[in-house]
Amino acid sequence: MWLVGFHQELPVATSSTMSECWVLREGLKLVLDRDLKGIRVVTGSLASVQIIQNEKLGNHDLSNIVFYCRSMLMMLGSEVHHVFREAKFRADMLASLSFNQHNLVVFNVTPNCLEHQLYSDSIGMLFPRTRFVVA
């Protein structure tokens, strides 16, 4: 079931974990704005999940983003879970749409290019990780 999706070019990140945390933060803001409580939050970044679930951050570079994500997850009554990237085919497709797209674009309905993938994900079909170019 499609609730909402988005794509946006992110600020320059110094690591893939930082990028994943930025994406998670933006997605959680979108979910909070729509009051979609009790949702299952997943990411393909095991490092991001571990950082968010680790109580002792100390002076970590991502501490501000992580605290913000934790706060929003609490408000939503949700936790973040790791899934293998092959199980997140739609997210990869949405990420490819954001190439050279500086503004936030929100999809309240499934984009046409993702309808087949939505069905495939719903029945548990996995796809190998590849890069997509959308013209």
Side-chain angles (χ1 to χ4, degrees):
M1 169 185 226
W2 182 271
L3 297 175
V4 66
F6 75 98
H7 71 73
Q8 176 181 19
E9 186 176 358
L10 296 172
V12 175
T14 58
S15 70
S16 60
T17 303
M18 180 181 280
S19 295
E20 290 286 346
C21 286
W22 273 99
V23 168
L24 181 61
R25 185 188 79 145
E26 294 304 309
L28 289 171
K29 286 180 1 185
L30 192 60
V31 166
L32 270 175
D33 288 346
R34 286 167 170 64
D35 199 30
L36 299 172
K37 294 185 178 172
I39 62 164
R40 180 173 164 82
V41 179
V42 297
T43 178
S45 171
L46 182 58
S48 297
V49 172
Q50 291 170 336
I51 289 171
I52 290 168
Q53 291 176 348
N54 182 359
E55 290 183 24
K56 297 178 184 174
L57 267 179
N59 229 4
H60 195 281
D61 291 344
L62 301 175
S63 60
N64 288 338
I65 296 171
V66 170
F67 285 128
Y68 197 75
C69 289
R70 286 178 183 171
S71 173
M72 289 187 288
L73 286 164
M74 274 202 273
M75 286 188 268
L76 292 167
S78 298
E79 296 177 344
V80 64
H81 301 275
H82 175 258
V83 296
F84 291 102
R85 290 191 184 274
E86 291 80 4
K88 293 188 338 106
F89 192 73
R90 286 173 286 165
D92 285 346
M93 289 283 291
L94 279 175
S96 70
L97 292 173
S98 67
F99 182 71
N100 284 334
Q101 180 64 261
H102 301 289
N103 298 322
L104 174 68
V105 177
V106 176
F107 298 97
N108 293 308
V109 297
T110 307
N112 291 337
C113 64
L114 296 181
E115 286 179 357
H116 177 71
Q117 287 74 27
L118 180 62
Y119 173 73
S120 298
D121 283 354
S122 72
I123 61 171
M125 187 179 289
L126 300 179
F127 294 91
R129 268 190 62 78
T130 56
R131 295 249 179 223
F132 298 96
V133 176
V134 178

